[in-house]
Amino acid sequence: MLGRPGLRPRRPFLARSAAIVVVSATAVLSAGCGSDDLGSVEKELGSHRDLATYALPLDEVSVSSSTWPNYVENVLVKNCMDSKGVEWTIPAAPDVIGAAPKSTNRFGRRIFDLKVASELGYRQDGGATKEQLELNSRKLTDQQQAAFNECVAKMRKEVPAPPQSLVFDYASAAYSSTMADPEVLDATEKWRRCLSEQGYGQYVEGADNYGDVAVKVLEELYGTDSPTSDEPVAAKEIEVATADAKCQESTGYLKLVYSTEYDEQLRQAVGHESQLRAQREATTHYTKKIDQIAASLGLASGDR
C-alpha cells in the first residue's frame, strides 16, 4: 500500500511468507486435518503447487505487493497535494509492461534459486532505488504533513484497502509450524553444514533460515541489509548466494520447506473457507478499483 511519501521499500529479504510475529490464538488451527479436507480447501482457493514461483495457497486471497497499486495511490495523493498548492514528488511509474521480476512472483513473494542467485545475489530486481529511499526519509514541513494526512485520508476513502490481518495471521502461523517441523529442522541443519563445509560458516552460525544468511552478507558488504537496487552487486554477494542456492537444492531444503509450508497453509485455511472467500472478494474489489482509477487518470494498466 501507500508509503510515506513514496513507495515504502520492502526489506531486501523476508523468510518467504513474512517475518514471524506472535500469532493470535484464534489463528492457530487444528493440525488434525485429513487429505480430503486439504484437497477441498485447495480447490476452494484455486491454488496449485509451483516451486518455481513459490506459489502458496493464501496468495490467492492476498493483495499483491506489486508497486502498481502503490503508484496509483501515490498519484491520487500527489494530485490532491497539487490542488492544495503543496509541491509533492513521487517515484517514477513502475515498469508494468516489461518482463516480470525474476526474484518475486506476482504476489510479491520472494523467489530464490540458482538462477536468481547467480544474477542478483540476494537482491530483488525492481527493488527500491536511492531516489525512492530519499523520498521516504525526507523531513516534512508542518504544512506538508497536514496536507499529506488529509490527502491520504481522502485517497483511502476512495480506495479502501482490504484488511490483510487474517491472511497474515494464517500465513505466519503456517510458516512457524513449517520451520518447527522435525524434517524441516533436519534439512535446515544439512543446509547449514553444506555451507559451512564450503567456508561460509560465519554466515550460517545462528541462522534459522537463509534470510538470516542474506542479512549477514549484505551488512558485511554494504553496511546495511537494504542496499538500493541501483547499487552494483558485489562479486562476493553473488559467490555466497550461488553457494547458498546450490546447498538448498542439494540438501533438499528448499523443496521440503516449500511443500511443508504449502500444506501448512492449507491446514490453516480448513474451516475458514467462508472468511477467506470474503477476503478474496474484497481483494478483487480493491484491484478492480485501482485499475478503474488508473484508467480514469490515463495511466497504463498494472496487469501483466
Side-chain angles (χ1 to χ4, degrees):
M1 305 301 172
L2 181 77
R4 187 202 72 82
L7 302 175
R8 186 176 300 282
R10 294 189 300 273
R11 286 176 61 82
F13 191 96
L14 291 181
R16 288 311 191 328
S17 292
I20 300 306
V21 296
V22 176
V23 181
S24 62
T26 56
V28 183
L29 311 179
S30 169
C33 305
S35 58
D36 290 345
D37 293 324
L38 299 187
S40 175
V41 76
E42 182 177 36
K43 183 177 180 180
E44 170 66 31
L45 290 171
S47 61
H48 65 282
R49 297 173 191 269
D50 184 4
L51 176 58
T53 61
Y54 214 90
L56 292 173
L58 292 176
D59 288 348
E60 300 299 328
V61 291
S62 302
V63 173
S64 169
S65 62
S66 162
T67 56
W68 177 250
N70 277 288
Y71 178 68
V72 175
E73 290 182 353
N74 273 299
V75 170
L76 287 174
V77 171
K78 175 175 171 50
N79 290 348
C80 174
M81 296 286 274
D82 289 345
S83 71
K84 292 178 178 293
V86 179
E87 184 179 356
W88 197 249
T89 304
I90 61 174
D95 180 7
V96 297
I97 299 175
K102 303 181 183 71
S103 62
T104 54
N105 67 14
R106 65 192 180 96
F107 295 99
R109 187 178 301 286
R110 286 299 306 270
I111 298 172
F112 183 77
D113 54 24
L114 186 55
K115 182 178 181 181
V116 170
S118 63
E119 292 182 28
L120 302 173
Y122 290 111
R123 310 288 192 87
Q124 290 179 259
D125 48 344
T129 64
K130 183 178 179 180
E131 175 202 12
Q132 291 167 347
L133 290 179
E134 289 175 348
L135 285 171
N136 261 317
S137 61
R138 66 184 177 179
K139 184 175 176 59
L140 303 182
T141 65
D142 290 343
Q143 179 193 18
Q144 287 177 323
Q145 186 66 63
F148 178 77
N149 292 343
E150 290 179 16
C151 288
V152 169
K154 179 182 178 182
M155 178 276 295
R156 193 52 70 207
K157 283 184 179 179
E158 187 173 355
V159 194
Q164 288 290 290
S165 58
L166 179 71
V167 174
F168 182 76
D169 280 355
Y170 290 168
S172 296
Y175 184 80
S176 295
S177 297
T178 296
M179 300 314 290
D181 181 88
E183 292 186 6
V184 170
L185 290 173
D186 182 60
T188 301
E189 184 55 38
K190 290 178 180 177
W191 158 71
R192 287 197 199 101
R193 189 162 57 246
C194 177
L195 273 174
S196 294
E197 289 172 352
Q198 296 184 58
Y200 303 115
Q202 71 271 34
Y203 301 123
V204 295
E205 183 178 353
D208 292 326
N209 57 63
Y210 67 103
D212 295 336
V213 172
V215 168
K216 288 184 178 181
V217 172
L218 296 174
E219 288 182 338
E220 177 184 280
L221 295 176
Y222 312 105
T224 174
D225 65 1
S226 306
T228 58
S229 62
D230 44 3
E231 183 168 355
V233 181
K236 180 65 178 290
E237 181 183 348
I238 296 291
E239 174 191 318
V240 180
T242 299
D244 189 348
K246 287 181 178 179
C247 282
Q248 289 186 43
E249 184 175 337
S250 66
T251 61
Y253 169 89
L254 179 60
K255 185 178 292 186
L256 180 62
V257 169
Y258 173 71
S259 62
T260 305
E261 186 174 12
Y262 190 97
D263 287 343
E264 288 296 334
Q265 284 206 0
L266 290 177
R267 288 189 179 93
Q268 290 294 318
V270 169
H272 293 254
E273 291 87 342
S274 61
Q275 293 167 281
L276 292 172
R277 195 178 302 120
Q279 176 73 44
R280 178 162 53 193
E281 290 173 359
T283 299
T284 300
H285 176 74
Y286 169 78
T287 302
K288 287 182 177 179
K289 185 68 174 178
I290 284 289
D291 286 340
Q292 288 170 359
I293 291 172
S296 71
L297 296 173
L299 304 177
S301 172
D303 294 335
R304 289 189 182 278

